[in-house]
């Protein structure tokens, strides 16, 4: 049974009963070997629960809490990180695969840096979040999706506290300062989020057609 599928210009990846099958759309892989591989490629890694694919990388999470990054250029595993919070429920990679947002079995959210293998906790994370979407037009902008709301988070790799990721809060129009109340955008009934770009979330409506929902955090832009 195919649980999920993702496609890039060079590869197609399928999650089939907890295993990822990566198939190149060219005759052979870049290193001249077979253009198909099965992941995880080692024993004890657990079942794959979520994965994301960019042009050059495939990232997947497992029931054992592993987050692995596989190179689609030379067909080798580059990162194999163990998260102590248990199973990975869902994850999303930014365009270049330099940051991975994920949710663990405790419904906590994190940003993973595969270069340093350091995770950053998403502060005040909504535990009802089901999906995560990066906005490729704005570095560090992440959208959390639950059944009722879109929540906008902002990730910064550099601050006086180190890397941080926080929800965008409502601004007081008089003082122009944050009120502490998280700024959310209502999800119209029956809308299914597909992607985000420039503060707008593209959604599939019940009829099958597409519609854009502008985030309240971006309405002044």
């Amino acid at each position: 049974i195919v649980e999920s599928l993702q496609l890039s210009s060079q590869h197609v990846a399928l999650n089939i009963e907890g295993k990822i099958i990566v198939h190149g759309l060219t005759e052979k892989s870049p290193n001249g070997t077979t253009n198909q591989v099965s992941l995880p490629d080692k024993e004890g890694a657990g079942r794959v629960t979520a994965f994301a694919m960019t042009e050059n990388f495939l990232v997947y999470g497992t029931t054992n809490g592993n987050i692995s990054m596989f190179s689609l250029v030379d067909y080798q595993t580059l990162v194999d990180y163990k998260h102590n919070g248990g199973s990975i429920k869902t994850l999303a990679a930014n365009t270049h695969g330099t940051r991975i947002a994920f949710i663990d079995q405790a419904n906590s959210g994190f940003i993973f840096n595969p270069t340093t293998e350091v995770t950053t906790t998403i502060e005040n994370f909504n535990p009802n979040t089901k999906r995560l979407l990066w906005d490729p037009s704005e570095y560090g902008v992440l959208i959390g999706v639950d059944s009722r709301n879109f929540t906008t988070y902002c990730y910064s790799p550099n601050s006086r506290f180190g890397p941080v990721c926080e929800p965008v809060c409502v601004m007081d129009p008089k003082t122009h300062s944050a009120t502490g109340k998280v700024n959310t955008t209502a999800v119209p009934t029956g809308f299914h989020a597909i992607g985000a770009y420039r503060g707008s979330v593209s959604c599939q409506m019940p009829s099958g057609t597409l519609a854009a929902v502008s985030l309240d955090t971006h309405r002044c832009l």
Side-chain angles (χ1 to χ4, degrees):
I1 299 174
V2 177
E3 298 177 10
S4 57
L5 177 151
Q6 292 199 25
L7 182 70
S8 72
S9 65
Q10 298 293 323
H11 297 85
V12 59
L14 303 92
N15 184 355
I16 302 177
E17 298 181 347
K19 295 282 288 187
I20 299 293
I21 305 299
V22 183
H23 187 79
L25 300 179
T26 56
E27 292 185 1
K28 288 188 176 182
S29 68
N31 59 14
T33 61
T34 177
N35 64 351
Q36 182 170 303
V37 64
S38 177
L39 302 168
D41 53 3
K42 67 177 184 178
E43 296 294 329
R47 288 172 51 88
V48 173
T49 52
F51 76 101
M53 186 165 63
T54 70
E55 281 298 311
N56 295 320
F57 306 106
L58 184 141
V59 183
Y60 61 91
T62 71
T63 52
N64 289 355
N66 291 84
I67 297 177
S68 300
M69 174 173 278
F70 182 80
S71 170
L72 297 173
V73 176
D74 55 14
Y75 279 44
Q76 294 189 24
T77 297
L78 304 178
V79 177
D80 193 12
Y81 171 79
K82 175 68 173 181
H83 176 62
N84 294 325
S87 176
I88 307 302
K89 295 181 68 174
T90 189
L91 58 77
N94 66 2
T95 303
H96 300 293
T98 57
R99 295 295 186 275
I100 314 300
F102 69 94
I103 302 173
D104 65 13
Q105 68 179 26
N107 294 321
S108 297
F110 301 88
I111 307 295
F112 174 61
N113 182 338
T115 302
T116 60
E117 298 193 24
V118 171
T119 57
T120 300
T121 300
I122 301 177
E123 301 295 335
N124 299 316
F125 186 72
N126 180 357
N128 296 316
T129 303
K130 304 300 182 185
R131 294 184 62 205
L132 297 166
L133 301 171
W134 288 101
D135 186 333
S137 70
E138 300 179 276
Y139 179 83
V141 173
L142 179 71
I143 315 301
V145 183
D146 63 56
S147 60
R148 296 184 177 182
N149 295 295
F150 297 126
T151 303
T152 306
Y153 299 91
C154 187
Y155 167 78
S156 175
N158 301 299
S159 76
R160 60 176 177 164
F161 305 109
V164 294
C165 186
E166 301 173 314
V168 177
C169 293
V170 175
M171 299 295 290
D172 187 318
K174 295 182 179 180
T175 64
H176 300 288
S177 60
T179 63
K181 179 183 178 181
V182 175
N183 193 336
T184 59
T185 304
V187 178
T189 302
F191 277 44
H192 177 74
I194 297 173
Y197 193 76
R198 290 187 177 178
S200 180
V201 179
S202 296
C203 301
Q204 185 177 38
M205 297 189 294
S207 63
T209 56
L210 299 179
V213 177
S214 296
L215 297 171
D216 286 350
T217 50
H218 291 65
R219 62 184 175 183
C220 294
L221 300 181

